[in-house]
Amino acid sequence: MEERISGIFSVCYRVAVFGCYISILFLYFYVYNLSYGYPYISYSLNAIAFIFLVTVPVLTMRILAEERHARTDQLILTAPVSVGKIVLAKFLAPAAVFSIAVAVIALSPLLLGRFGTIPYAESYVAILGFWLYGLTCIAIGIFVSSLTESQVIAAVLTFIALFLGYMMDGITQTISSGGNLLTRILGCYNLTAGLEQLTNGRLDYTAVVYYASMMVLFLFLTAQSIQKRRWSVSRKKIGMGIFNTGFCAAAVALTVIVNLTAAALPTSVTVLDCTSAGLYSITESTKRIISSLEQEVELYVLASETSGDEQLAATLAQYRELSSNIQVTYVDPAVSPNFYQKYTQDPVSSNSIIAVCKDRSKVIDYSEVYETEVDYQTYSSVTIGYDAEGKLTSAIQYVTNEDMQTVYAVTGHGESSLSGRFKESIEKMNLGLKDLNLLVEDAVPKDCQALVILGPTSDFSKDDAEKVKNYLADGGKAFITTQYTEESMEHFQSILTDYGLQINNGMVVEANDGNYYQNPMYLLPQISYDTVTAEVSDAYVFAPYAQGLTQLQEDDTISYTELLSTSEQAYIKADVQNMTGFEKEEGDLTGPFLIGVSVADTTSHAQLLVYTSTMMFTDEADQQVSGKNAALFASSIRSMIAESDASGLIVIPVKPYTLESLVIAQGTILLTGFCSVIAVPLALAAAGILIWMRRRKA
């Protein structure tokens, strides 16, 4: 009877633990993934990592402690089966219960995939990390259970052991923010470090090795604990005790050696980037730049090596591995608070980076590494992009290249100004950006590498137009955008007319629904492949409120390269102010029209890049196409710089930190939430009880 009651209790509490895993996970799944629309299952997994502190002690406290309490451990001690097999069997029982729960969790990304784009690789790497972390906790719980015959003591000690591993990062930071020998030793028991690496989208083999080695170590220690009792009646009690202790010490040492060896391998070997945006990878452009470095560059990180930003540290490690000329040095602000003043008098935040080469330096403030925006639902700042590679590559190019080119932006005619990602693109290319008021300048400055004219809303004077024409006739380069205005733009138009281009009065309406977004004036133009459009040719660019551009005449000395164009169904509404709808009317000029064109004069070597939508070069438009407008802008500016200088103009775009939120109907959220949080756990629990009852009758 006692055995039967014990068996019933054993099954019931395992079913309860199994249901607990599923219920709590899907509760967070309902909140984060269904209600908030986050496409990352890792959010839910990280939130419930604490569950192991409660469930594992309950799941493992009886496994060996009860054997000793009931004296059934004598069967184990005298069984003709190796202790290793016994321990493995004891481990596989709760591991199977937990693995079934994880298998159910593994279905959640497939469910989310019905509602939008899901990072499947990231999701399943996160689930792998959750599974390995859970199995490691179970192995620790079994070891603790082998040390005592009291279930309560086993549960309490297991909780303490897991709690220490869960909080070890905070404990080591409290002991020393800069790190020392003690914190490095304690850090070996940081159980959540590997989970954080795997749930961040990196398949880090060092984390996998860590969890696997910890599982093997604690199962081995469990076997040694049992083995010691098996030999306790032997005449060689003292000798076997020494033998047992020596074996345990050797196992711990071997585990440390294995993990140190894995950690010493380069990240290019140990880390596989599974993020959809390549957050932890280095682009081929950066690899070419860094591998060809001939000067030594020092990257000073204003943080201690143990407390610095882990993602930033991983990126820096990849730079260091690419070239022996890259040196990374961590400077703890608590130890050297005024170190940064050697390079700048402006205050800088912790985790900022200073790139230094000879007597040139550039500061990358930590606030620039992550791109953020305000979430107006919660009125909190949300990280939307990671720009460490872009900033680092730009800084390295800056400190190793003493020649800075200058781009001038024309002002004084109601032009728009570069801001956000577009201004940042200029900075990343290490180009100087200066305003140019043609009214007060006799001519375009000689050091002007490219002239930027962003959609003037009032006409140029004849004199201003002549200054631009003279600059171009002398082999100048110009990036020009236009925007609709009611004013006459005779002199501004004359600049384009000299190169065979005519701006059609009015705005383009796109009748082909495949070439606009939501509004027929929100154009998604057709992209012609060229070196300028190579980075965006397989995607969309967004050109709202564009004008139409037509070619006036053929000229043997001028070549035209079509970049962006409308469909043949497009037409132009000339009287924009009085239009009542988007329907085509009599007199509307019919397309197709050029939206973007590159013009090259083979005689003067002048080059013009003309786009007919100034709004496309704003952050608002750029966000609609995930940075492709900014990529087109950077490529356009780069194409106007002399080929000999182009190597220093590589722009690494901001890597999006998250995918777009899922859009799920409220009814679907409630139904899915009910099924996942209540129905599925109850069904699984009922199935477990049914299986037990059938076995009991058998």
Side-chain angles (χ1 to χ4, degrees), residues 23-334:
S23 294
I24 295 179
L25 181 279
F26 280 124
L27 178 62
Y28 280 90
F29 173 77
Y30 171 77
V31 174
Y32 285 122
N33 301 110
L34 296 179
S35 297
Y36 291 165
Y38 296 143
Y40 297 91
I41 190 66
S42 58
Y43 289 10
S44 300
L45 296 178
N46 277 324
I48 67 166
F50 72 90
I51 195 177
F52 294 109
L53 304 181
V54 178
T55 55
V56 169
V58 175
L59 195 61
T60 61
M61 66 182 184
R62 293 172 50 87
I63 290 178
L64 289 171
E66 178 65 14
E67 298 277 8
R68 291 183 66 177
H69 178 71
R71 299 293 185 265
T72 55
D73 62 329
Q74 298 300 318
L75 298 175
I76 296 176
L77 299 177
T78 59
V81 181
S82 68
V83 174
K85 290 181 179 179
I86 294 172
V87 171
L88 183 61
K90 291 289 187 181
F91 170 73
L92 291 178
V97 172
F98 173 61
S99 296
I100 294 172
V102 173
V104 175
I105 292 170
L107 299 176
S108 54
L110 302 177
L111 175 63
L112 291 176
R114 297 178 59 248
F115 307 113
T117 303
I118 299 298
Y120 288 106
E122 291 182 62
S123 297
Y124 286 106
V125 168
I127 292 172
L128 171 65
F130 185 77
W131 182 62
L132 291 174
Y133 175 61
L135 292 180
T136 302
C137 292
I138 290 172
I140 294 171
I142 290 176
F143 169 65
V144 174
S145 181
S146 72
L147 300 177
T148 178
E149 64 179 37
S150 170
Q151 296 180 43
V152 175
I153 293 175
V156 172
L157 291 179
T158 301
F159 172 81
I160 293 173
L162 296 182
F163 181 76
L164 288 174
Y166 185 80
M167 297 297 296
M168 189 55 67
D169 186 54
I171 293 171
T172 54
Q173 287 295 317
T174 302
I175 294 172
S176 173
S177 60
N180 53 37
L181 179 60
L182 176 60
T183 59
R184 284 194 289 272
I185 293 173
L186 292 175
C188 295
Y189 192 63
N190 187 346
L191 297 180
T192 59
L195 177 63
E196 290 174 3
Q197 292 168 352
L198 293 169
T199 54
N200 283 336
R202 291 176 292 179
L203 180 52
D204 193 330
Y205 299 114
T206 60
V208 176
V209 169
Y210 175 79
Y211 284 132
S213 63
M214 290 292 280
M215 276 185 271
V216 172
L217 173 64
F218 279 100
L219 293 179
F220 176 81
L221 295 177
T222 304
Q224 290 302 301
S225 175
I226 296 174
Q227 188 78 7
K228 184 175 182 180
R229 293 205 309 278
R230 171 179 278 190
W231 285 91
S232 64
V233 295
S234 171
R235 293 179 182 178
K236 300 180 180 179
K237 181 176 180 180
I238 296 177
M240 286 308 301
I242 296 173
F243 178 74
N244 181 278
T245 304
F247 246 47
C248 292
V252 172
L254 180 61
T255 302
V256 172
I257 292 171
V258 167
N259 282 279
L260 288 176
T261 302
L265 295 173
T267 55
S268 57
V269 175
T270 61
V271 177
L272 179 62
D273 187 359
C274 296
T275 59
S276 54
L279 289 173
Y280 307 103
S281 302
I282 298 296
T283 63
E284 291 301 322
S285 297
T286 291
K287 290 178 180 179
R288 287 194 299 269
I289 292 170
I290 302 305
S291 59
S292 62
L293 271 181
E294 297 180 356
Q295 304 176 65
E296 186 171 303
V297 177
E298 189 80 41
L299 299 176
Y300 293 104
V301 186
L302 302 183
S304 67
E305 194 161 1
T306 56
S307 64
D309 184 296
E310 292 185 5
Q311 185 172 348
L312 184 56
T315 301
L316 289 166
Q318 293 184 69
Y319 275 78
R320 184 165 44 193
E321 291 167 8
L322 287 172
S323 174
S324 59
N325 285 322
I326 295 289
Q327 302 297 323
V328 178
T329 304
Y330 286 84
V331 180
D332 190 347

Side-chain angles (χ1 to χ4, degrees), residues 265-548:
L265 295 173
T267 55
S268 57
V269 175
T270 61
V271 177
L272 179 62
D273 187 359
C274 296
T275 59
S276 54
L279 289 173
Y280 307 103
S281 302
I282 298 296
T283 63
E284 291 301 322
S285 297
T286 291
K287 290 178 180 179
R288 287 194 299 269
I289 292 170
I290 302 305
S291 59
S292 62
L293 271 181
E294 297 180 356
Q295 304 176 65
E296 186 171 303
V297 177
E298 189 80 41
L299 299 176
Y300 293 104
V301 186
L302 302 183
S304 67
E305 194 161 1
T306 56
S307 64
D309 184 296
E310 292 185 5
Q311 185 172 348
L312 184 56
T315 301
L316 289 166
Q318 293 184 69
Y319 275 78
R320 184 165 44 193
E321 291 167 8
L322 287 172
S323 174
S324 59
N325 285 322
I326 295 289
Q327 302 297 323
V328 178
T329 304
Y330 286 84
V331 180
D332 190 347
V335 178
S336 304
N338 299 321
F339 175 82
Y340 71 92
Q341 293 180 358
K342 298 178 184 178
Y343 307 100
T344 179
Q345 295 303 309
D346 297 328
V348 294
S349 54
S350 179
N351 282 298
S352 296
I353 301 169
I354 303 174
V356 180
C357 179
K358 297 180 180 178
D359 59 346
R360 290 176 65 83
S361 64
K362 187 170 186 178
V363 177
I364 305 171
D365 195 82
Y366 185 60
S367 62
E368 301 173 0
V369 172
Y370 293 95
E371 188 176 64
T372 61
E373 69 177 12
V374 176
D375 183 345
Y376 289 102
Q377 291 183 335
T378 61
Y379 291 96
S380 60
S381 180
V382 178
T383 301
I384 61 171
Y386 181 59
D387 198 22
E389 183 185 351
K391 295 295 185 182
L392 284 168
T393 300
S394 174
I396 291 170
Q397 291 179 97
Y398 174 81
V399 298
T400 56
N401 184 5
E402 296 182 2
D403 298 324
M404 175 174 283
Q405 309 295 326
T406 305
V407 172
Y408 284 85
V410 174
T411 62
H413 314 93
E415 290 90 351
S416 299
S417 58
L418 289 173
S419 61
R421 289 186 176 180
F422 300 92
K423 186 176 182 180
E424 192 174 90
S425 294
I426 297 289
E427 294 171 352
K428 281 185 176 181
M429 286 187 281
N430 297 308
L431 296 171
L433 179 62
K434 297 181 180 180
D435 289 338
L436 174 63
N437 190 330
L438 294 172
L439 180 64
V440 298
E441 296 289 342
D442 295 332
V444 175
K446 293 292 185 182
D447 65 338
C448 179
Q449 194 69 26
L451 194 65
V452 175
I453 306 175
L454 284 182
T457 54
S458 60
D459 197 16
F460 282 38
S461 67
K462 184 177 181 180
D463 189 41
D464 287 352
E466 286 299 322
K467 292 173 185 177
V468 174
K469 292 178 184 180
N470 291 338
Y471 165 73
L472 293 172
D474 198 30
K477 319 290 183 182
F479 177 91
I480 301 174
T481 69
T482 72
Q483 61 179 314
Y484 175 79
T485 177
E486 293 289 326
E487 292 192 27
S488 171
M489 302 292 285
E490 176 186 355
H491 297 303
F492 172 69
Q493 171 63 64
S494 69
I495 298 172
L496 301 178
T497 303
D498 284 357
Y499 293 90
L501 297 175
Q502 173 66 49
I503 304 171
N504 296 295
N505 186 41
M507 283 195 289
V508 175
V509 175
E510 181 60 76
N512 186 336
D513 58 10
N515 288 102
Y516 69 84
Y517 171 70
Q518 294 183 343
N519 185 318
M521 286 187 173
Y522 289 176
L523 308 187
L524 298 174
Q526 298 170 355
I527 303 174
S528 300
Y529 186 84
D530 182 70
T531 54
V532 174
T533 59
E535 293 185 43
V536 298
S537 59
D538 59 347
Y540 289 109
V541 294
F542 183 45
Y545 304 119
Q547 294 183 280

Side-chain angles (χ1 to χ4, degrees), residues 561-608:
T561 302
E562 180 180 301
L563 302 177
L564 308 176
S565 61
T566 69
S567 71
E568 293 183 355
Q569 289 80 26
Y571 50 90
I572 287 181
K573 285 287 187 182
D575 190 5
V576 176
Q577 297 295 331
N578 297 313
M579 61 181 290
T580 57
F582 297 113
E583 295 78 14
K584 185 178 181 182
E585 299 174 337
E586 186 177 351
D588 289 342
L589 189 62
T590 304
F593 304 103
L594 293 174
I595 301 300
V597 62
S598 175
V599 182
D601 188 327
T602 56
T603 302
S604 66
H605 302 293
Q607 181 184 358
L608 286 80

